[in-house]
Every structure is written in C-alpha cells, then in structure tokens.
Amino acid sequence: MAEPQDTEDVTSERLVEPGADDLERAAEAALRPRRLEEFVGQRTVREQLSLVLDAARGRGRAPDHVLLAGPPGLGKTTLAMIIAAELGASLRVTSGPAIQHAGDLAAVLSSLEEGEVLFIDEIHRLARPAEELLYVAMEDFRVDVVVGKGPGASAIPLALPPFTVVGATTRSGLLPAPLRDRFGFTGHLDFYADDELERVLVRSARLLEVELAPRAAAEIASRSRGTPRIANRLLRRVRDWAQVRGTGAADLAAARAALEVYEVDERGLDRLDRAVLRALCERFGGGPVGLSTLAVTVGEEPETVETVAEPFLVREGLMGRTPRGRVAMPAAWEHLGLQAPQAGGTLFG
Ligand code: ADP
C-alpha cells in the first residue's frame, strides 16, 4: 500500500527562520478550523460547498471533485480537510511536485478506499503523464496499470472505488482545460476583508490563550495582506514580543512594536513586497519589466513573486501588469517615499 505523500509547501516561509518549517506547520495545524461553520469569511465558496456536501450526503455518494483556486494562505488546505471531516471520510494528502511519475499517482489511486478524499495541493504542477492518468481516474474511476516494458507492455484496467479529488492551485490559469473540466465545482478564494481577519485573529488568540486587545486585532488584521496565514503568523510574533518585552498581553503597543521588528509596514507590505517595488522603481525606472528579471533582481523564484507578492501588490494598486511586463503604479512611488519620474519615465508618468 502506498504511503500518503506529504504536502510540500512552496509558499515562502517569510518571518520564520529557515528550518522552522515543521514548527510552523504544527502551529498552523493547531489553528485550522475543523468544520465549515468555523471557517471565517468566503461566504460564496462556503455556501456553494455546503450545497455540494449536503447533496452528496443526501444521495449517500461521494461528491463531485472540487477545485480550490486562490493565492497561498487563504484556506485551501483547510477547506480540503473540512470537506473530508464533513463527509466523515478519511483524507489522503499529496501534491503536484511530490508526484514525480505517473506510477506514483497510480499507487496512491489504487490504494484509495471508497469515499476517501484525495487532496492534491499545487495540482498545476503535476507532470503531464500523471495528469493524464488523473483525468481517467476522475472520470471513469479507473487506472490503467502498465505491466511489463517496451513492446510487450500491456495496460490492465483496474477499477477504483468512488472517491473525491480536492485539487488546490494558486494558478488556475495553468491548469489544462481537460483537467479543469473534470472538476464539478471550482471555488475561487479571495483575499479577506479586515473584519474577517479580525475574527480569524480572535479565534486564534483564544486557541493560543493570548489576551488580544481589540485594537491590536484591528492593527494586525490591517497589516495581514488579506491572508489568514499571515494574520496567524503575525499574531504569534506579537505574542512573542508581548511575552519577552511587554506585559504578556497582546495590546496595541505590542502589536505595533512587534510588526516593526518583523518589518511589516503599515500597509502590510513585508520585505519581499518592498524589495519587488524598490527593484521596479529604482532599478527599472518603474518598468515595464519581465517577471523573471524582476524575480532574479530580488533573489526569488518567479513563481514566488507571481503567486505570493504580486496578487497583493496588484490588488493594492501598487503594481500593474501589462503585456510588456510589470509596472510601478503612482502609489508605489509614493509608498516608498520616492519621486515618480516625469513624463515618459513610466507608462503612467
Ligand atoms: P492554503 O492551503 O490556501 O495555502 P491553508 O488552508 O493552509 O491555506 O491556511 C493557512 C492558515 O490560515 C491555517 O492555519 C488556517 O488555519 C488559517 N485559515 C485559512 N483560512 C481560514 C479561515 N477562513 N478561517 C480561519 N482560519 C483560516
């Protein structure tokens, strides 16, 4: 029987020391909502999912496959776990990059039990042969097991019990249409509003037994880039500050001081965000500049810049995407305290 694969987290581990991944993951796991009703915000996705799950429960059958799309840290893994919990099903976890060969996926699929939920994180990073195997498994509940090699090889079809794939992707545009079509439902997760993040923080503070002042919650929420993962991470840093240098309570002063130590500015931009904006403005005169050049300049992978920093910077009106590359918007210059070049310097100059 194949071992369930570990999820690999590609989101950049900013604000934590390298090597602290396991601790970070354990800390996150402790704060995950377990049921749909505990899941804050994302009203549309929650309502849609709850219909899919109720209908499946009513029919006594595995629900349609579900695709969850959105930037990192918005709750895709959490929702996959909630789906399994709500169905009373067990969950198998793997990810696109963890599946090197189609055979790895065939092993996982052929060991699934009836009604199980298979979570595939970063599904857009599956290798093509694995992807093709997955189409068939999702549609016909069948895998073709190849026996032998070369011209004598033959494929033996193996029927699979009904199961549900929950795919997560930060780049739904990269999913080939045939794979996207196999999902009965796609939930698009959006950045959270500040009041929703405050609710996430209040809940997390209770679980962490931290005394969190309402104004501190508001301050942390407003600097969390619309992302619960970041809100929870900042809360833990504020708790550390309060414990070591403050009174133990996470009040407004502790929140402000800790966020300053961790270089999160008043708009919630962190070091990577500012590095990207600085590179755009100072090195490339406001752009347009290609994604990979920009990524090399800040010493990051293009995918990290594109999935982690960019969606937030674009949403904040600090960066623009044009067919010729990324450009700094007027607000970027202002935010960095720089003078935007006059006419001709940028698309917006
Ligand atoms: P993703 O898979 O999209 O990267 P996760 O599901 O791992 O994100 O969520 C990251 C962290 O944020 C987890 O600790 C989770 O508890 C918390 N979180 C995400 N969404 C919510 C939510 N809607 N309500 C409460 N906590 C949330």
Side-chain angles (χ1 to χ4, degrees):
M1 184 159 156
E3 289 287 317
Q5 321 259 326
D6 270 345
T7 317
E8 191 197 62
D9 192 350
V10 289
T11 51
S12 72
E13 289 294 337
R14 292 176 292 168
L15 303 179
V16 292
E17 297 300 316
D21 297 22
D22 293 343
L23 274 179
E24 177 77 6
R25 237 168 260 177
E28 269 196 356
L31 298 178
R32 276 188 209 288
R34 312 255 169 235
R35 310 302 295 210
L36 207 47
E37 69 202 23
E38 281 180 76
F39 192 84
V40 175
Q42 308 292 348
R43 234 188 60 200
T44 313
V45 172
R46 245 184 321 125
E47 190 179 346
Q48 292 164 336
L49 253 186
S50 119
L51 276 173
V52 170
L53 295 176
D54 282 347
R57 272 192 296 246
R59 290 194 301 265
R61 309 231 333 240
D64 266 359
H65 307 296
V66 173
L67 182 65
L68 300 169
L74 298 194
K76 298 181 294 297
T77 307
T78 306
L79 277 178
M81 292 180 171
I82 289 177
I83 291 172
E86 295 279 346
L87 292 169
S90 57
L91 178 77
R92 299 281 295 269
V93 177
T94 188
S95 73
I99 293 173
Q100 303 275 328
H101 308 286
D104 298 341
L105 183 61
V108 174
L109 289 169
S110 55
S111 68
L112 285 175
E113 284 170 24
E114 179 159 353
E116 261 190 311
V117 174
L118 173 64
F119 176 54
I120 309 180
D121 201 6
E122 295 182 75
I123 194 165
H124 61 275
R125 292 176 66 186
L126 272 179
R128 181 47 67 90
E131 219 172 70
E132 282 166 8
L133 190 101
L134 188 60
Y135 305 156
V136 178
M138 288 170 77
E139 183 131 318
D140 301 336
F141 295 104
R142 189 190 88 214
V143 276
D144 293 324
V145 181
V146 180
V147 184
K149 279 197 169 145
S154 57
I156 303 177
L158 177 73
L160 302 173
F163 63 95
T164 300
V165 172
V166 178
T169 180
T170 47
R171 319 266 310 268
S172 61
L174 284 188
L175 274 196
L179 181 54
R180 221 170 3 193
D181 292 347
R182 298 310 193 274
F183 289 96
F185 161 68
T186 300
H188 291 277
L189 278 79
D190 249 323
F191 287 113
Y192 291 68
D194 286 359
D195 64 321
E196 294 170 335
L197 289 179
E198 280 179 50
R199 276 160 52 210
V200 171
L201 285 163
V202 166
R203 177 181 174 275
S204 301
R206 205 177 51 234
L207 292 171
L208 294 172
E209 299 180 3
V210 178
E211 200 183 311
L212 177 66
R215 286 171 67 195
E219 184 76 18
I220 301 172
S222 72
R223 299 205 206 180
S224 297
R225 313 162 93 255
T227 307
R229 169 176 292 138
I230 296 178
N232 283 339
R233 200 178 276 170
L234 295 179
L235 174 65
R236 296 199 301 274
R237 300 294 81 84
V238 171
R239 172 194 61 181
D240 294 350
W241 194 97
Q243 183 192 322
V244 176
R245 300 210 185 139
T247 61
D251 53 20
L252 183 60
R256 290 206 172 132
L259 295 172
E260 193 171 327
V261 171
Y262 288 98
E263 300 177 88
V264 177
D265 70 24
E266 62 293 347
R267 271 185 99 148
L269 271 65
D270 65 14
R271 233 176 357 205
L272 175 64
D273 302 319
R274 279 193 304 272
V276 168
L277 283 191
R278 274 201 180 280
L280 248 182
C281 295
E282 291 179 342
R283 299 282 297 273
F284 303 105
V289 58
L291 174 69
S292 23
T293 311
L294 195 55
V296 168
T297 315
V298 300
E300 272 292 353
E301 292 295 320
E303 179 158 345
T304 305
V305 172
E306 192 174 22
T307 60
V308 179
E310 189 170 281
F312 173 70
L313 294 175
V314 170
R315 189 186 68 137
E316 287 287 294
L318 294 164
M319 186 200 240
R321 294 176 63 152
T322 72
R324 288 166 52 221
R326 275 62 180 173
V327 292
M329 302 297 274
W333 300 91
E334 200 179 306
H335 186 70
L336 295 174
L338 299 170
Q339 188 74 39
Q342 295 305 306
T346 72
L347 284 188
F348 303 93

